[in-house]
Amino acid sequence: MLRRARATGAAGQPGRPGGSRTGSQAEGNAMTTVAFLGTGTMGAPMARNLLAHGFAVRAWNRTRARAEGLAADGATVVDTPAEAARGADVLVTMLLDAEATTEAGGQAAAEMPPGAPWLQMATIGLGGLARVAELAADLTLVDAPVLGTRAPAEQGTLTVLAAGPEHVRDRARPVFDAVGGRTLWLGEDAARGDGTRVKLAANAWVLSLTNAVGESIALAEALGVDPRLFLDAIAGGAVDSPYAHLKGEAILSGELAPAFTVDGAHKDAGLIAEAAGELRLDLAAAARARFARASRAGHGGEDMAAAYYASFTEEP
């Protein structure tokens, strides 16, 4: 039976801090204050992991209610980006897009001490990074987008794709270690954005795979077979992927609480297209179109696995 109706439900994904505030690690970070801008699905657990590792965190989010929960963990929740930056040693931006990052980050950067690290950890594309680099003229920019979604953010196991000068790495490393399981240093020129370049290439793969799983499940249903047989068929073989089962189970259960939303994926697909220029990326273009259709059908705030529903929507 084709599952054209909009699925509802929340997927509980228990998380834990990525580290504990014990021993010399917490003591070594206790004097470091982080201005953390953006406490949404990814940012809030990242900020909690910083607190758990002994950092002082001054947290700001455009919708303050989404930051308030961090107060119970020890964060100072503030009303403006500039207020977050006052007295901070490190600036971290984990905002939705380039517009939000440049607007809030620019306000915060003006209050940071000269040379302070600005760790730009969101996915904002090459154009957005260039704008950030201009705003960060008096700071030390590190291009450091992360690979992973909500659960790795909660567990402190994100992969940090970093590019920045050698002299800032000792200051950035404890922050990255608190939120991630590994850091890949990809170059010294943050403005060139090798972290962002690798992130866009990785995202092209992830977005294509997400849509491929949804299409295979939709096709199996249309052909009158249990779509779980598709997942069983690929299990353990050369074409298997844990991610296929993760997103496939989300689709089949209808539990689509966002680890990363359809609208967020559509935004990232646009950044990929922008970066590609005249290079023809047929799969990336198709993925972008499917996310747009799923969003128009009312699934924009659900997990990006809900691109599955694009198989059942009509083109205008």
Side-chain angles (χ1 to χ4, degrees):
M1 178 178 180
L2 294 183
R3 299 140 48 80
R4 300 176 188 236
R6 187 170 186 267
T8 59
Q13 291 188 325
R16 59 173 179 79
S20 58
R21 191 180 299 184
T22 59
S24 61
Q25 182 180 44
E27 293 169 2
N29 296 332
M31 297 302 292
T32 299
T33 298
V34 177
F36 199 103
L37 309 185
T39 59
T41 301
M42 298 286 291
M46 290 169 68
R48 285 193 177 92
N49 283 325
L50 288 171
L51 290 162
H53 280 74
F55 290 90
V57 174
R58 298 177 62 80
W60 174 85
N61 195 69
R62 186 180 302 277
T63 304
R64 182 179 172 122
R66 298 196 71 180
E68 291 287 4
L70 292 168
D73 297 290
T76 299
V77 179
V78 299
D79 290 321
T80 67
E83 189 179 353
R86 290 177 194 136
D89 307 296
V90 178
L91 172 62
V92 173
T93 46
M94 193 63 192
L95 293 150
L96 176 63
D97 54 26
E99 287 68 31
T101 300
T102 53
E103 180 182 350
Q107 294 175 41
E111 300 292 333
M112 295 293 294
W118 180 348
L119 313 182
Q120 200 311 104
M121 303 189 74
T123 304
I124 61 173
L126 293 173
L129 182 63
R131 292 160 60 189
V132 166
E134 292 180 4
L135 293 171
D138 294 331
L139 305 184
T140 304
L141 178 63
V142 180
D143 173 40
V146 296
L147 283 178
T149 52
R150 183 179 62 186
E154 291 170 343
Q155 296 158 5
T157 57
L158 296 165
T159 296
V160 182
L161 304 172
E166 190 74 36
H167 68 80
V168 78
R169 296 185 184 186
D170 284 345
R171 298 182 68 185
R173 188 173 291 111
V175 175
F176 296 159
D177 288 348
V179 302
R182 65 174 181 153
T183 298
L184 299 179
W185 285 100
L186 304 169
E188 294 198 26
D189 186 354
R192 172 179 156 80
D194 283 351
T196 290
R197 293 169 192 267
V198 173
K199 175 64 186 292
L200 292 174
N203 270 12
W205 162 249
V206 170
L207 302 187
S208 294
L209 183 57
T210 298
N211 278 283
V213 172
E215 285 196 353
S216 290
I217 287 176
L219 179 60
E221 291 174 327
L223 294 174
V225 296
D226 184 346
R228 291 188 184 278
L229 295 176
F230 150 65
L231 295 174
D232 291 343
I234 65 172
V239 297
D240 196 9
S241 164
Y243 196 77
H245 296 276
L246 178 68
K247 294 305 181 186
E249 288 299 332
I251 293 167
L252 293 172
S253 68
E255 294 184 345
L256 292 164
F260 190 65
T261 66
V262 165
D263 284 344
H266 181 255
K267 179 265 295 183
D268 282 4
L271 296 177
I272 291 166
E274 177 186 278
E278 295 182 0
L279 180 67
R280 182 167 180 173
L281 299 178
D282 295 328
L283 296 180
R288 186 182 186 189
R290 286 180 61 83
F291 287 126
R293 291 206 306 277
S295 182
R296 288 196 297 269
H299 301 279
E302 294 177 339
D303 187 81
M304 63 178 175
Y308 158 85
Y309 293 104
S311 292
F312 313 114
T313 61
E314 297 294 333
E315 286 293 332

